[in-house]
Amino acid sequence: MKQTIWLENHTLGTDFILIGLLSQSKYPTVSSSVIFIVFIVAVTGNATLILLIYCEPHLHTPMYFFISQLSLMDMMYSFIIVPKMLLDQVTGIHNILIPSCGMQMFLYLTLVGAEFFLLAAMSYDRFVAICHPLRYPILMNHRVCKFLIIGCWFLGSIDGFMITSITMTFPFCKSREIQHFFCETPALTKLSCSDTSFYKIAMYLCCFLMILIPVIVILGSYSLILLTVYRMNSVTGYKKAFSTCSSHMIVVILLYGAAAYNYMLPPSYHTAKKDMMVSVFYTIITPALNPFIYSFRNKDITGSLRKLLAVKRVTGTYGE
């Protein structure tokens, strides 16, 4: 009898139910409106940044090439998660098919992993630019940049494929309600009726390595940058290095801090509401902040934006 019930629970369900953040909000309409505005800001800001870097020849450098890839990843973050969340709130249907859940998880984990390694590549680029300026065109040529980007996407996709393929093979014979607004791995494993303790340890070690290796590269690069700037004994050089690197460090702290909380802290520190709030921070808010972090303190970006707006204004004037 028990086996029959287990088989029915395991085989009849064809989808999950996302118990998202908006459905638990006291003011779901206001929350939905705010998230929609942040989503538009994120998409517009990152698309503008990509367009500027693509159109302006003087921005065709390794640093801006990496920034454009970061903006692309942030846009994909937003499109993978936010439209589904808002559509669920509007329609009142919070179901997600199992294949769709697996695809969302795979894309999300791929982007997270790729961004981890991309931030490490960006720190290495700054290290070469500041510590070895004469060799910079050789050490960071176009072929090297393409190799680093392909490596970031490849390692991220391996992480996504491994975790997703294992997670989605678990028998989900408990409740079909995922206490999250998207198919995140820790929330999904709680629904499994099999022993996932070994898998959780393996995932912890995997996430630890995925964070540790880039962090070592980032800390090593910036330690050498600080040492080089200190030896320069130049206020101008210090200001330039600080301006270049500070925006990158802000993004690093935001992403790695949120990831460490979600995947490395013990279960006693987690609640469904806390996990969702942290996920909102690095999947919705951070993609909207990154274009401003990289543009407001960057004269090249702001100058290119003014130039583009001036060209459009002149074109519009002649068109009239």
Side-chain angles (χ1 to χ4, degrees), residues 161-177:
F161 177 77
M162 289 176 57
I163 295 178
T164 303
S165 59
I166 296 173
T167 303
M168 299 308 292
T169 56
F170 284 133
F172 299 106
C173 53
K174 294 182 181 179
S175 170
R176 291 279 167 172
E177 295 182 350

Side-chain angles (χ1 to χ4, degrees), residues 3-14 98 168-174 176 193:
Q3 186 176 3
T4 304
I5 294 173
W6 183 89
L7 286 171
E8 288 177 354
N9 288 336
H10 180 57
T11 57
L12 291 180
T14 58
I98 292 177
M168 299 308 292
T169 56
F170 284 133
F172 299 106
C173 53
K174 294 182 181 179
R176 291 279 167 172
C193 55

Side-chain angles (χ1 to χ4, degrees), residues 14 33 126 181 192 235 261:
T14 58
S33 301
R126 292 299 84 208
F181 57 87
S192 176
V235 177
Y261 170 84

Side-chain angles (χ1 to χ4, degrees), residues 54-67:
Y54 178 78
C55 294
E56 289 295 325
H58 73 279
L59 297 180
H60 293 175
T61 63
M63 182 178 75
Y64 294 111
F65 178 60
F66 291 136
I67 289 176

